[in-house]
Amino acid sequence: MIKNIVRKIIPSTANEIEKILLKELAGNKKVLDLGCGKNSPIRFLKNKKGFENLYTLGVDIFTPYIDLNKKGDHIHSEYLNSNIFEIEFPEKSFDTAILFDVVEHFHREDFLNFLPKLEKMVSKIIVITPNGFIEQGDHDKNPYQSHRSGWTVEDFNSLGFTCTGLSGYKPFYNMKFVPGVLNTLISDASNFLVKNKPEKAFHLIAIKTIK
């Protein structure tokens, strides 16, 4: 109960992502979730008014994540176990593609080469990624979890994306001298400071509408 009260005052990053999805996917019929992982934020749209008939396709190269999804909540309408760069769909097959905590796992040139192809398949792209390079190795016995690139506001602006900030002021994220729960609250409480100053944020939200 106390947690719920606190979270009404200080929304979590997950709360903010839910708001983004509700706003940006409103009216969509088909959504492509690239690098869907094992617990996609698309779950936030379950049972939400206006999203009852939304078709979503989750794509991930790591087979255990696909298997977990199929055995668990089955967040997506369908799944595709594939390398993202190898997908092929007709022009404008999907309203939106989302890549949440995904592009940092790619080598920069690989994503830049893939982007024009993706832009033909969809009408909008939403990316969430750390602001700059953040060191991360393999985990979940998943070799694809390693970080291979870092992305900045300038990078996305040059590609035609518009950026906002997420996850609070970057220096507040993962402060070693502050207990975990308190650290998270401090970071989340600072989110209003970076929403319109994404270069100061821990995460970037980058959105591009393809005309």
Side-chain angles (χ1 to χ4, degrees), residues 101-113:
D101 287 316
V102 173
V103 298
E104 64 273 15
H105 300 282
F106 303 145
H107 293 292
R108 177 177 293 271
E109 290 305 315
D110 289 340
F111 180 66
L112 292 176
N113 290 335

Side-chain angles (χ1 to χ4, degrees), residues 3-39:
K3 181 180 179 181
N4 291 336
I5 293 172
V6 170
R7 280 309 182 188
K8 284 183 179 180
I9 301 170
I10 306 174
S12 67
T13 293
N15 294 149
E16 296 294 342
I17 290 174
E18 180 177 350
K19 291 178 187 176
I20 293 163
L21 290 174
L22 290 170
K23 176 185 176 184
E24 297 296 336
L25 302 188
N28 280 203
K29 294 181 179 179
K30 297 180 71 177
V31 173
L32 182 61
D33 185 355
L34 298 176
C36 64
K38 59 183 179 181
N39 197 27

Side-chain angles (χ1 to χ4, degrees), residues 183-200:
N183 190 171
T184 300
L185 284 173
I186 292 171
S187 182
D188 289 341
S190 69
N191 199 55
F192 77 98
L193 296 171
V194 300
K195 186 173 183 180
N196 296 316
K197 294 184 178 180
E199 68 279 359
K200 303 291 186 182

Side-chain angles (χ1 to χ4, degrees), residues 100-209:
F100 288 3
D101 287 316
V102 173
V103 298
E104 64 273 15
H105 300 282
F106 303 145
H107 293 292
R108 177 177 293 271
E109 290 305 315
D110 289 340
F111 180 66
L112 292 176
N113 290 335
F114 171 67
L115 187 58
K117 177 181 175 182
L118 178 60
E119 290 178 351
K120 292 180 180 178
M121 297 185 227
V122 304
S123 298
K124 182 189 290 184
I125 301 171
I126 307 173
V127 175
I128 295 180
T129 188
N131 179 12
F133 182 76
I134 302 294
E135 187 73 40
Q136 178 177 293
D138 300 352
H139 66 86
D140 271 353
K141 298 181 179 179
N142 180 356
Y144 304 105
Q145 284 286 3
S146 294
H147 286 186
R148 296 173 175 86
S149 62
W151 300 81
T152 65
V153 174
E154 290 76 14
D155 291 329
F156 285 114
N157 286 348
S158 70
L159 296 170
F161 287 79
T162 299
C163 293
T164 54
L166 181 69
S167 304
Y169 186 48
K170 189 173 182 178
F172 289 172
Y173 201 89
N174 286 337
M175 293 184 290
K176 295 180 180 180
F177 57 89
V178 179
V181 175
L182 180 58
N183 190 171
T184 300
L185 284 173
I186 292 171
S187 182
D188 289 341
S190 69
N191 199 55
F192 77 98
L193 296 171
V194 300
K195 186 173 183 180
N196 296 316
K197 294 184 178 180
E199 68 279 359
K200 303 291 186 182
F202 182 81
H203 274 108
L204 302 177
I205 308 164
I207 299 176
K208 181 175 184 178
T209 299

Side-chain angles (χ1 to χ4, degrees), residues 32-62:
L32 182 61
D33 185 355
L34 298 176
C36 64
K38 59 183 179 181
N39 197 27
S40 169
I42 288 292
R43 69 187 186 277
F44 298 138
L45 302 181
K46 290 283 186 179
N47 304 315
K48 286 288 194 301
K49 186 176 180 180
F51 294 91
E52 299 90 345
N53 298 315
L54 179 67
Y55 171 87
T56 63
L57 175 64
V59 182
D60 206 288
I61 194 172
F62 192 55

